[in-house]
């Protein structure tokens, strides 16, 4: 057992643990998860938001089971097994849920095709302009690099918030755009405590939006106790994390 394995907390806690307990029975859809992962959190929020039946299976990143690697050779979470077929990638999974469970409500993508395309534009914006800058800020080791990453993150968040119709991004209804960014909202305490980030410094509109989103029931029910995230994000803050995303940020590549 490695030192990282020894320190890694192996399962969800708090409200998330209660949710896990409710999803142990066999279902057509098996959700392979890592309680700590923001990408997992996207798909988990979508499952809970829409009330889709699923079986929760925790994947230890240091001890991946043979069957999991067989269905997902990339070895990354989230992944699902649906009636024997394996799929992965968080946003693709969210769209799969939209297509496969059309009767489940609420829907996370609008029925209108132009509005649906507009939502996808802003999901793509989050992927390209928010998540990479958030990760750059966490991993930046010098004041100069932290200042640059924080400025880029603020710019992305400010642009996003300026286009939000309110109270959620597309208006009254919570959507896939909100799901795409929510895991980084509830983890922004990491950069607030360690990298000088402040919601209010982004804009009043961003703070209002972020404060609302983090209170969403589906998000609270899939969030673990804060103290168990410290060891994980400590590795990023020291730029020691060896995951695919961390290495991509370190090497200046697109986050896979």
């Amino acid at each position: 057992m490695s030192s990282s394995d020894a320190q890694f907390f192996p399962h969800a806690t708090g409200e998330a643990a209660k949710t896990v307990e409710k999803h142990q029975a066999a279902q057509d859809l098996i959700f392979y998860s890592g309680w700590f992962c923001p990408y997992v959190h996207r798909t988990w929020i979508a499952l809970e938001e829409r009330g889709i039946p699923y079986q929760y299976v925790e994947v230890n990143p240091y001890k991946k089971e043979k069957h999991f690697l067989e269905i997902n050779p990339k070895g990354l979470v989230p992944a699902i097994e649906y009636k024997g077929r394996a799929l992965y990638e968080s946003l693709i999974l969210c769209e799969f849920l939209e297509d496969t469970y059309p009767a489940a409500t609420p829907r996370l993508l609008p029925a209108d095709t132009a509005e649906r395309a507009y939502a996808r534009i802003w999901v793509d914006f989050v992927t390209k302009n928010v998540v990479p800058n958030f990760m750059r800020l966490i991993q930046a080791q010098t004041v100069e690099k932290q200042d640059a990453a924080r400025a880029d993150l603020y710019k992305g968040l400010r642009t996003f918030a300026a286009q939000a119709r309110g109270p959620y991004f597309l208006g009254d209804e919570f959507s896939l755009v909100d799901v795409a960014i929510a895991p980084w909202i509830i983890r922004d305490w990491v950069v607030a405590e360690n990298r000088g980030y402040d919601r209010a410094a982004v804009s009043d509109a961003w703070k209002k939006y972020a404060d609302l989103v983090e209170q969403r029931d589906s998000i609270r029910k899939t969030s673990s106790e804060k103290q168990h995230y410290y060891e994980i994000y400590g590795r990023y803050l020291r730029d020691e994390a060896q995951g695919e995303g961390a290495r991509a940020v370190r090497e200046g590549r697109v986050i896979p």
Side-chain angles (χ1 to χ4, degrees):
M1 180 182 293
S2 70
S3 59
S4 294
D5 190 12
Q7 295 170 347
F8 174 74
F9 204 78
H11 54 77
T13 57
E15 291 300 311
K18 297 176 185 177
T19 302
V20 169
E21 185 62 28
K22 295 176 182 176
H23 292 278
Q24 294 301 296
Q27 299 288 347
D28 285 342
L29 190 151
I30 304 172
F31 177 48
Y32 292 94
S33 176
W35 65 267
F36 54 89
C37 176
Y39 298 97
V40 162
H41 209 168
R42 283 172 163 171
T43 308
W44 202 2
I45 291 167
L47 284 165
E48 284 296 315
E49 192 71 34
R50 303 192 63 226
I52 293 170
Y54 65 92
Q55 180 183 4
Y56 182 102
V57 175
E58 186 73 40
V59 176
N60 186 317
Y62 302 104
K63 295 180 179 178
K64 294 170 184 173
E65 299 292 337
K66 182 175 180 289
H67 178 68
F68 175 68
L69 293 174
E70 287 173 349
I71 68 166
N72 183 6
K74 293 180 71 174
L76 300 176
V77 289
I80 67 172
E81 191 173 0
Y82 178 72
K83 296 183 178 180
R85 294 196 63 182
L87 298 167
Y88 40 89
E89 302 295 346
S90 63
L91 294 171
I92 291 173
L93 294 181
C94 290
E95 294 226 19
F96 168 79
L97 298 175
E98 287 285 296
D99 295 337
T100 307
Y101 296 90
T105 55
R107 301 298 297 269
L108 294 176
L109 282 170
D112 178 80
T113 55
E115 187 72 353
R116 184 177 287 233
Y118 180 76
R120 289 187 174 117
I121 287 171
W122 284 98
V123 168
D124 185 65
F125 180 89
V126 171
T127 299
K128 293 177 177 176
N129 296 277
V130 175
V131 176
N133 290 323
F134 187 100
M135 298 309 299
R136 278 178 55 221
L137 180 56
I138 288 182
Q139 291 180 230
Q141 297 300 296
T142 67
V143 172
E144 292 77 14
K145 288 184 177 180
Q146 290 172 14
D147 288 347
R150 190 187 316 106
D152 288 342
L153 177 59
Y154 279 13
K155 180 180 178 182
L157 295 176
R158 196 173 292 125
T159 300
F160 180 93
Q163 296 299 316
R165 297 169 184 167
Y168 298 109
F169 187 83
L170 294 181
D172 291 336
E173 301 300 322
F174 188 76
S175 75
L176 186 58
V177 185
D178 306 302
V179 171
I181 201 169
W184 286 270
I185 290 175
I186 65 162
R187 288 164 174 78
D188 68 7
W189 58 267
V190 179
V191 286
E193 292 182 5
N194 298 279
R195 294 291 188 260
Y197 166 89
D198 180 17
R199 286 182 187 176
V202 176
S203 70
D204 291 341
W206 169 252
K207 185 177 187 307
K208 182 178 180 180
Y209 171 82
D211 288 353
L212 173 70
V213 167
E214 72 177 354
Q215 295 302 317
R216 187 82 179 178
D217 192 47
S218 61
I219 296 170
R220 292 190 301 101
K221 285 165 54 179
T222 51
S223 298
S224 285
E225 294 168 337
K226 183 177 175 180
Q227 64 264 31
H228 298 299
Y229 291 96
Y230 278 109
E231 169 56 27
I232 293 165
Y233 283 101
R235 301 171 200 168
Y236 287 89
L237 291 164
R238 298 186 298 271
D239 200 19
E240 296 172 353
Q242 295 302 315
E244 290 291 334
R247 289 201 296 268
V249 170
R250 194 174 297 123
E251 296 166 8
R253 296 185 285 108
V254 173
I255 297 175

